[in-house]
Structure formats: C-alpha cells, structure tokens
Amino acid sequence: MSRLYGRDVLLDDLVPRLVGYPRKDEYEDVEQAHRDDPPALLLTGPHGRGRTAVLDKLYRSYRTRIPVAEVDCAQPRDSSSGGALVANTSPGADFLIDTAGGLCAPVAGERRLLQLPRLWTGLVAVSAWRFGDWREQEAAQERVRRLLTGCGLAADDSSEVNGWVREVNDALPTVLDREELKPIVDASVKLFTGRYLAKKGQTDDVLSFYAGRPEARRGESPLFALSRAFHQDGDLREVAEATLAAALLEDLRARYATRWMRFNRPPRPLLLLDNVQSAPGARLLNQLLTHRAKGERDPLVVVAAARGSARHRSRPDATERTLEQATGGVADWRRPERGTPSAGLITIELPPLQRGDIVAMLSDAVPSLQGELPRVVRRFTQGSPLGCGLLTEAVRTHPRSAATPGLDVGTLQLDGQSVTRQLAARLIPDPVLRRNLTLFSVACDNAAARALAAAYLPAAPDHMAVETARIHLRAEHGAQAPRPFVTDPFLRAVLVLELRRQRAQSTQSTPAWSSLHELLRDHHENAQQPIDALHHALAGGDAGHAVTRLYERFLPPGTAEQWLCDLWHVASAPHPPHVTWAKDCWDNASGKSGTEPAGDDVLRSVHRLLHAVWLAADPLTAPDEKLCERIRFDLELLSGRHATGAGVLFDAAQEWHDALRELRTPSSALPALGPEREPR
C-alpha cells in the first residue's frame, strides 16, 4: 500500500518539523522544531505494528531531497570469507558505513555531495589488517569498496576500489612482522587522506579530532590507537565504535555550523535506524545519545524503531509520548539538565489502527464496501497494520469476497496463497519456531505446551522447544502473562488458523484436530483443571459434555461471578475444522427445533448461551445485533434462576451485549485469580 493509515502525525507533522522540510513535494516552509537540540525518536511496538513501514515511507519520501540513510540493525554483515566477523569488522562499523553511504548520496539541487572526512578516515583506519591475516585483508577490501563507492568517492569498477589492499601492501616496508598492525594503519590512512582529503584541506581537522579522543596516547598516532582498540574487541572496541559515532556527528556539526547554513536554515539530515532492539543497534543509538549528553550539539535527526516496549529498554530518562501528543514537533519537549543519555530520547509506542483507519483502508480498496467487513478485519487483526494491510490487499485483489455474508477472513487468498499463512510467516520468520508455536497456540499454559511437545515433537532436537518459544514470545511479542501460552490475540488467531488448516494431516508432527484436543483435555483433567478440560472438550466438538458440566456448575454452591468467567473461558475455545460449524453453532444458539437437549429451562438456556458465546468469541467473526441479543436474552433468563447471583447475571446481560457489539471482552468474563488459573 502506498498510504500508511493512522500514522499521519509522524509522517506529516512530527518528522517534517524536526527535519525542517515537508515530506511531500511541496514548497511551503516548515518551521524547524528544536533548532539547537533535536530529540531522537524511538518508535516501539510488537511485530506487525508498522514501525518498519513508517521508516520505509520516510526514506522513500526524503531520499532524493535531503541527506537520509536507512539502516537495518537486525542483520549484521558477515566477513567476506563467509565465517564469523573478523577482528577488523563489527556490526557497528558496518552500520556506520551504511549510514555514510546514505547521507552522502546525491540530493536534488545540491551540486556537492555531503562530506564526512572524520568518519571516512576512522572507518579506513579500523579496517586495516594485520599483515599476515588474509581474512582481514578480504574484509578490508570489501568494506573499503562499500565505503568508497557508497559515498561517491570512487567508481565501482575503478582501480582505486579494486586494488585497495594491494596498493596499501605495496607501500609497506619489505620486512614486516606478520602480526603488525601499525604500518598497515599508517599506510591506509596516508593513502586515503592523500587521495581523497588532501586537496580539500580536511586532513588537519581529521587528525585534530582523533587526537582528542580517549584511545589516543601521547606520542602515538591517534588513528593507530583507534584501530588497535577496535581490533582488541570487548569494551575497547565499544570505545572505538563510540569514537566513530562521534566522528559522524562532528562531521555533520562542522558542515551545518557555517555562517551560510545558520542563516539559511537548510533541512537537517535524517538517519533511520530499524530494529535497534538488537545489541549492536542499541549500542549505536546509545553512542549517538551519549555524545549529545556531553553537551555536544549536531543537526542529525534520528528516528529509530525497536520491537517491544521502551519501558524495558534500559532508557530510564526517555520522554514518553503518544501519537496524539506528537503534534507540533513536540514543541514542549526540553532535554532535562541532568540525566542519563536516554534523556535525549522521545519514545512513541505505535498503537493499533483505530476503527476509522480500518474503514478508510478498506474503503479505498473496495468502493462497494460491505458494513460487516471492517468489523471482521478489526476483530481478527486487533488493529495490526500488518494484518489489516494484507487482508486489504486480498480483498482488493478479490473484491467479490468482501460482499460475501458471514465472511471468514481465514479463506482469503493473496497471490495464490492463504493470507493467514503469509501472516504467520511474517510474524514468525523462523520455520522451526513457527511450526512449534503453531502447535502450542492452543495450549492454555506452559504445562499444556510441554504435553504437546512431548507427544508430537521429536525428543532430541526439540527438548527445549517450549522454553525457546516462551523466550521468543516474551522478547518479540511482549508476552508477560503465562496464560494462555500465546497471549497476543492476533498472533494466536493466526497460528490457530494454521493449525486448523493442517488438521487433515494426521502425522506425528501434525496431529489431527480431535486427537490434539483430546490429549489436552486428558492433561487438564489429570491436573484437576476442569474448566481448561471443558475448553478443549468444546474445541474437540463435544459440546454436550461442556453444556452438562456448565449446567452443574451453575447450581449452588458456585457463584455467578465465577460461572461467568468459566463460561467465557470454555466458550473461547477454537472452533473445530468443520465447514458448517458457524451455521450449526447459530442453529444451536437460536434454539432451532431439534437442537436443544432434554432437560429443564436452565439446561436448555445454558446450551443456547454456550453456543452463542462460542460464536461471539470466535476471532474470525464479528458478533451482530441478533447474536448479541440472544446472549442478553439467555443471561437475563438465567438471572432469574440463580439462587444468589440474580443481580450479577442481570447486569452481565447488558454488559455482555454492549461489549461484544463493540468487539470487547466483557469485564465480568475476565477470569479471577484462583488456584486453577494464573492471571491471563
């Protein structure tokens, strides 16, 4: 999709005001916010919340109009030899090479490319190799090639690029120890500065900058000290990387601090850092913030994105804002006088798309939009931009599907493949982890997931499958509560759909639907967790047993409050893979002739109510007024039959009607703390 929905304040207000330039090809002036001290922005949120889409949109909007770089910090490059990173390489240095290449790209209306002499020279110095290490030579050749060609210093097919290592080696003394580094650093820096900086009078500024950095010792070359610290890894490498980050900011400060620049107020350069939840990405962002925390000022606008919540990223002094509070360039923001480097950061957690955003998205795709479709999409995706976007593209491709009454979004196709299968692959790229989480998606807790793993996963390679899956859910999807096993409702709905799709293949790794839920039912019965057992009895198709047990629990001494929680937990079971399930469930919910059990009014009402709530709780549907009225009717009827909870059930009748109509879980349906279930 060319348009992003629900993110306009970032794209058209906040970032343009920080940059001082409109995002679109417009000529009106944008007042530059925070001219002396721009805050860095950190966009957070779980998978599919649109963080990367925002960065991509900003990059496409600005890439030919201002200096802008986009760097993905999730995928560090390996050395050219195909093995692990070698001593003259690091993810941080690679990210800075990518940054330099982006910022130095041609800009419309500018005759000269942006120059970053301090950063360039520092990157050349740390890329130097020990004389006898061929892997370091290969890495240096590849990285200097990227630096020279990316920054417009040399053509890709030139001898300057292809012969870098050979030219440096040719300038070395004839006798050299295989482990020596200093002569290679000196020769590399001399070749680079003589060829690319000497005519511009920049060499003195570069050497002066590095002489004042902490790696330098009296009487030795500061660029050799930088390279030596970089090669020694650990804390010393981090200090060297911090110097390279500072070099970038100092280059930009020097470029934008001229009298002409101050008078004309040109737009600021923009750096987009994705996936800074990774260790090297977090280091780079913190290094930029640390430089600013020392009182140094630079013009760079940094917009970073990280999975998860900013509260768990060790940034105690960051300012939190919502999208609604981000208008006007967050003009009220001021850097605290004292605090950690994170004081220079504003965090914004991207929210789910709202009702109006989803309606607008689908209306743009399907002019003859049916009223039910936005509700179904909103219910299933929980407002995930990724989910809404793919479903919208599927409907755009097959508009007739949008006009089908009772649309099941699980049947939508895009490019010949199920949309939900594509969603599962996007949300969990690793195929083994995706297979395991698909199996665990119907588990109520860790113990149930372990029971599934023991029964259906090979013991040797997957003995840690449950723990690995739980760690992934916590780190990548923000899972906090232990129940259900997959707590994110959108992710769980996608994975359950995939599991249901696989149910016909009754193999050891892909159990039949009924066998899987029979195993979980037995597991919870043995663990004396009767409500969880009923949940899986219903999922397996044994609705009669679930009705009988809920009827028995309705009678004293049970309370109405607990019974409502039990009813919701049982009825939130995934529905069986029967094509007629929705019709059959509605027939039972409406009391169609021949569907009701023999017994008293309470039993028949419980039977109708369970099926109605089961249909209403299904994430692939959106309850309509008729279904919500059925639920209210039977709860009101039951309120007159409960010995002590008449008021509770009568109030719940209206609450459940209203909440389900608005696609919310009723508050009285949320399980209370108790010995059987942990908090959900």
Side-chain angles (χ1 to χ4, degrees):
M1 293 183 300
S2 59
R3 176 185 169 189
L4 292 184
Y5 294 81
R7 307 294 184 252
D8 292 344
V9 68
L10 292 174
L11 299 171
D12 298 327
D13 186 329
L14 178 55
V15 175
R17 287 182 184 276
L18 292 176
V19 171
Y21 205 53
R23 180 176 65 86
K24 302 173 183 176
D25 287 321
E26 301 167 348
Y27 293 98
E28 72 270 15
D29 291 333
V30 174
E31 184 177 354
Q32 202 171 65
H34 305 287
R35 289 199 62 217
D36 298 325
D37 186 17
L41 302 180
L42 177 63
L43 311 179
T44 65
H47 270 292
R49 195 54 66 82
R51 304 175 319 278
T52 299
V54 169
L55 299 188
D56 289 345
K57 189 72 171 180
L58 289 169
Y59 179 72
R60 292 194 301 271
S61 299
Y62 282 118
R63 63 181 174 181
T64 61
R65 304 166 65 227
I66 64 170
V68 58
E70 185 177 28
V71 179
D72 185 354
C73 300
Q75 299 294 334
R77 297 171 184 264
D78 287 342
S79 66
S80 58
S81 60
L85 292 168
V86 294
N88 61 340
T89 66
S90 79
D94 277 324
F95 297 157
L96 288 170
I97 291 175
D98 294 338
T99 298
L103 294 178
C104 296
V107 174
E110 295 288 340
R111 290 181 299 175
R112 293 174 51 198
L113 301 181
L114 180 65
Q115 304 285 301
L116 302 172
R118 296 165 183 82
L119 177 61
W120 292 342
T121 309
L123 288 169
V124 167
V126 300
S127 295
W129 55 93
R130 290 169 297 181
F131 183 69
D133 196 318
W134 64 269
R135 294 176 68 228
E136 290 185 9
Q137 293 187 53
E138 285 189 347
Q141 179 66 51
E142 188 254 334
R143 279 159 175 77
V144 173
R145 170 191 291 276
R146 286 174 50 218
L147 181 67
L148 296 178
T149 59
C151 296
L153 297 173
D156 186 53
D157 57 352
S158 66
S159 60
E160 300 175 30
V161 169
N162 296 323
W164 177 261
V165 169
R166 176 181 50 77
E167 287 192 70
V168 172
N169 283 335
D170 287 347
L172 297 175
T174 54
V175 179
L176 193 65
D177 186 273
R178 290 181 60 83
E179 293 297 314
E180 281 201 67
L181 178 64
K182 186 178 184 303
I184 292 92
V185 175
D186 292 343
S188 298
V189 169
K190 181 178 180 181
L191 177 61
F192 181 82
T193 55
R195 181 174 288 172
Y196 301 109
L197 301 187
K199 294 180 182 180
K200 303 178 179 63
Q202 297 167 319
T203 305
D204 291 343
D205 291 338
V206 169
L207 296 178
S208 176
F209 169 79
Y210 283 104
R213 298 303 298 178
E215 303 90 336
R217 299 174 185 173
R218 181 176 297 180
E220 75 174 358
S221 165
L223 284 160
F224 165 62
L226 174 76
S227 187
R228 180 185 59 208
F230 187 89
H231 277 68
Q232 289 179 344
D233 206 354
D235 291 343
L236 290 174
R237 173 173 289 175
E238 289 192 28
V239 171
E241 288 178 337
T243 292
L244 294 173
L248 166 67
L249 298 180
E250 178 60 19
D251 278 330
L252 293 173
R253 185 208 61 76
R255 174 70 180 92
Y256 284 77
T258 64
R259 180 179 300 177
W260 185 91
M261 286 286 196
R262 290 197 303 270
F263 179 78
N264 287 278
R265 299 185 184 181
R268 294 173 172 134
L270 177 62
L271 174 59
L272 306 168
L273 296 176
D274 200 5
N275 291 305
V276 297
Q277 76 279 349
S278 69
R283 276 198 301 273
L284 176 57
L285 178 59
N286 289 337
Q287 287 160 357
L288 298 174
L289 293 172
T290 298
H291 185 75
R292 291 178 172 178
K294 296 175 181 177
E296 305 291 345
R297 295 294 174 258
D298 64 85
L300 184 64
V301 174
V302 179
V303 182
R307 285 197 298 271
S309 170
R311 296 184 183 89
H312 306 291
R313 299 293 175 192
S314 300
R315 299 186 174 102
D317 297 313
T319 301
E320 293 187 18
R321 289 285 189 271
T322 64
L323 279 184
E324 292 76 12
Q325 297 169 331
T327 57
V330 288
D332 62 334
W333 179 82
R334 296 292 183 274
R335 179 190 296 271
E337 292 184 5
R338 303 179 65 179
T340 66
S342 63
L345 189 66
I346 293 177
T347 66
I348 300 174
E349 184 152 358
L350 297 183
L353 296 182
Q354 301 302 307
R355 180 192 320 222
D357 301 322
I358 297 173
V359 171
M361 181 184 296
L362 290 166
S363 297
D364 289 345
V366 187
S368 57
L369 182 65
Q370 299 293 315
E372 182 185 13
L373 181 61
R375 287 172 49 79
V376 174
V377 170
R378 182 158 59 101
R379 175 70 176 280
F380 174 61
T381 65
Q382 301 289 303
S384 162
L386 171 64
C388 292
L390 284 181
L391 290 175
T392 298
E393 288 305 305
V395 171
R396 190 197 307 273
T397 305
H398 303 287
R400 288 186 178 181
S401 62
T404 305
L407 171 68
D408 180 349
V409 296
T411 64
L412 291 176
Q413 300 274 318
L414 183 60
D415 298 328
Q417 188 181 48
S418 162
V419 171
T420 53
R421 182 165 297 176
Q422 296 180 50
L423 284 169
R426 294 277 293 275
L427 292 168
I428 309 175
D430 181 83
V432 174
L433 184 60
R434 184 166 67 249
R435 177 204 66 182
N436 293 346
L437 276 168
T438 299
L439 177 65
F440 301 153
S441 63
V442 291
C444 289
D445 54 24
N446 287 1
R450 282 191 282 270
L452 291 170
Y456 298 115
L457 297 181
D462 288 301
H463 67 282
M464 290 292 289
V466 174
E467 289 71 17
T468 300
R470 175 60 76 184
I471 291 170
H472 171 83
L473 292 173
R474 186 179 299 114
E476 305 294 338
H477 297 274
Q480 299 297 320
R483 295 177 60 92
F485 186 81
V486 180
T487 57
D488 181 85
F490 174 47
L491 177 62
R492 186 170 68 252
V494 169
L495 295 177
V496 169
L497 264 176
E498 284 305 293
L499 186 63
R500 188 182 296 134
R501 199 187 315 280
Q502 299 166 3
R503 89 283 184 194
Q505 304 173 7
S506 182
T507 65
Q508 184 180 25
S509 61
T510 310
W513 183 265
S514 57
S515 301
L516 187 152
H517 287 284
E518 184 178 354
L519 181 146
L520 291 172
R521 177 178 175 177
D522 292 342
H523 163 78
H524 288 295
E525 286 177 346
N526 293 334
Q528 298 184 344
Q529 296 171 321
I531 301 303
D532 289 334
L534 291 181
H535 174 95
H536 291 290
L538 187 61
D542 193 354
H545 176 72
V547 168
T548 300
R549 293 293 175 263
L550 283 172
Y551 168 70
E552 293 170 351
R553 296 177 74 88
F554 184 80
L555 303 174
T559 66
E561 291 87 351
Q562 186 59 54
W563 190 81
L564 287 170
C565 295
D566 293 345
L567 169 66
W568 182 265
H569 182 49
V570 174
S572 63
H575 66 76
H578 304 319
V579 293
T580 63
W581 172 82
K583 178 183 181 301
D584 295 342
C585 198
W586 175 250
D587 289 344
N588 281 274
S590 60
K592 184 178 179 180
S593 177
T595 62
E596 294 188 325
D600 59 23
D601 290 344
V602 173
L603 179 62
R604 289 193 292 272
S605 186
V606 170
H607 173 86
R608 292 192 301 269
L609 184 60
L610 176 63
H611 284 87
V613 177
W614 194 16
L615 193 59
D618 178 45
L620 297 179
T621 64
D624 59 15
E625 185 62 31
K626 185 181 294 186
L627 182 61
C628 294
E629 281 291 343
R630 289 296 328 175
I631 293 171
R632 176 163 60 183
F633 172 81
D634 277 305
L635 280 174
E636 287 181 350
L637 189 152
L638 288 173
S639 70
R641 302 293 194 274
H642 198 281
T644 60
V648 171
L649 292 171
F650 189 85
D651 291 344
Q654 185 62 49
E655 182 210 350
W656 285 42
H657 170 276
D658 295 346
L660 292 172
R661 193 72 186 89
E662 291 299 316
L663 308 183
R664 293 182 288 106
T665 300
S667 59
S668 59
L670 298 175
L673 297 178
E676 178 178 346
R677 294 200 294 273
E678 306 165 40
R680 294 180 64 204

